Amino acid sequence: MRRTKEEAEETRQRLMDAALKVFSARGYSAARLSDIAAEAGVTRGAVYWHFNNKQGLLFAIFREMANPYVQTATEVLGSDLGPGRKIRELVCRVKDATDNSEAFLAHRELAMRFMAEHPHGFEEYHKHISRDMTNLTRQITDVIRDGQRSGEIRADVDATIITGVIAAILRGSAMMTNVKGMDLLPKGTSETVVDLIMGGLEPR
């Protein structure tokens, strides 16, 4: 039974890798499930078994893109560090990870193409990504509140607004890094970014 589960997971991953390649080459709309199955070396039925349809496969790729960064952030936020240090480590580690991941850049290009191809692509993309981000934003807000109670983080701004600013900076950096004409937060600037954030969080 264990081998069967492992084989199923291997097939699922192979399908996502193949889909990323086909979607990137042809765009989401023009890509066919038969092409993806052929690229993965499986039958078309295997696609339906694991993902139900082409959209399900696409959004599984998007969720996979977010998973390593959600895990990294969860580790930092659940550590024994103080609130301010947690925020510093969160920003640095997530930015450095997205800056230096070729896989992330490939996933990002696919997301941008999907959003450009479909009238409601932006809403659909963020709807699926937000499912995995909801718990993370709650954790960040809890850390901010801990810092406000201890006097380490300014308390004159609602914690949810601070969380929103941090999330916007991280998402904006991830979407703009290595994009021609938009690379305003290039690789190697994580310490500068976090210094600016932490300066804004100092008690007033």
Side-chain angles (χ1 to χ4, degrees):
M1 181 65 70
R2 174 176 295 179
R3 186 182 176 193
T4 301
K5 289 181 179 179
E6 289 175 351
E7 289 175 343
E9 181 55 36
E10 181 183 346
T11 299
R12 186 176 186 277
Q13 187 60 53
R14 212 159 64 234
L15 279 166
M16 285 196 289
D17 292 342
L20 178 59
K21 185 180 294 186
V22 174
F23 287 152
S24 297
R26 304 185 183 181
Y28 173 75
S29 298
R32 298 181 302 179
L33 288 181
S34 57
D35 297 328
I36 294 169
E39 180 69 32
V42 300
T43 66
R44 182 169 169 166
V47 183
Y48 292 113
W49 174 262
H50 287 279
F51 302 101
N52 295 325
N53 52 41
K54 187 167 72 169
Q55 188 179 74
L57 177 51
L58 177 72
F59 290 134
I61 292 173
F62 290 158
R63 286 192 294 275
E64 182 192 47
M65 174 182 71
N67 282 342
Y69 310 105
V70 171
Q71 290 172 5
T72 295
T74 300
E75 289 175 8
V76 172
L77 296 172
S79 70
D80 294 330
L81 297 171
R85 190 64 189 174
K86 284 182 180 180
I87 298 302
R88 177 175 285 277
E89 286 292 312
L90 170 71
V91 174
C92 280
R93 288 181 60 180
V94 172
K95 177 164 172 47
D96 285 343
T98 54
D99 284 355
N100 296 292
S101 171
E102 293 298 325
F104 176 82
L105 294 178
H107 284 82
R108 184 191 65 186
E109 292 303 314
L110 174 59
M112 293 175 75
R113 287 189 65 174
F114 172 74
M115 288 186 278
E117 286 180 17
H118 295 271
H120 301 291
F122 182 85
E123 292 88 345
E124 286 294 318
Y125 170 75
H126 283 281
K127 180 176 71 176
H128 283 79
I129 290 297
S130 66
R131 294 176 183 176
D132 299 312
M133 300 299 290
T134 299
N135 186 52
L136 180 58
T137 55
R138 287 181 186 146
Q139 291 180 65
I140 296 173
T141 302
D142 287 343
V143 169
I144 296 297
R145 286 176 176 148
D146 286 343
Q148 289 176 327
R149 283 191 288 268
S150 67
E152 190 175 348
I153 294 174
R154 60 187 297 182
D156 60 321
V157 178
D158 189 279
T160 58
I161 295 177
I162 297 175
T163 299
V165 170
I166 293 171
I169 291 171
L170 289 175
R171 290 184 183 183
S173 173
M175 295 305 288
M176 292 189 299
T177 299
N178 288 337
V179 177
K180 187 176 181 180
M182 296 176 60
D183 196 3
L184 303 177
L185 296 174
K187 290 182 180 181
T189 59
S190 59
E191 288 292 342
T192 300
V193 171
V194 79
D195 282 345
L196 290 170
I197 292 174
M198 299 311 296
L201 294 183
E202 291 177 358
R204 302 296 171 90

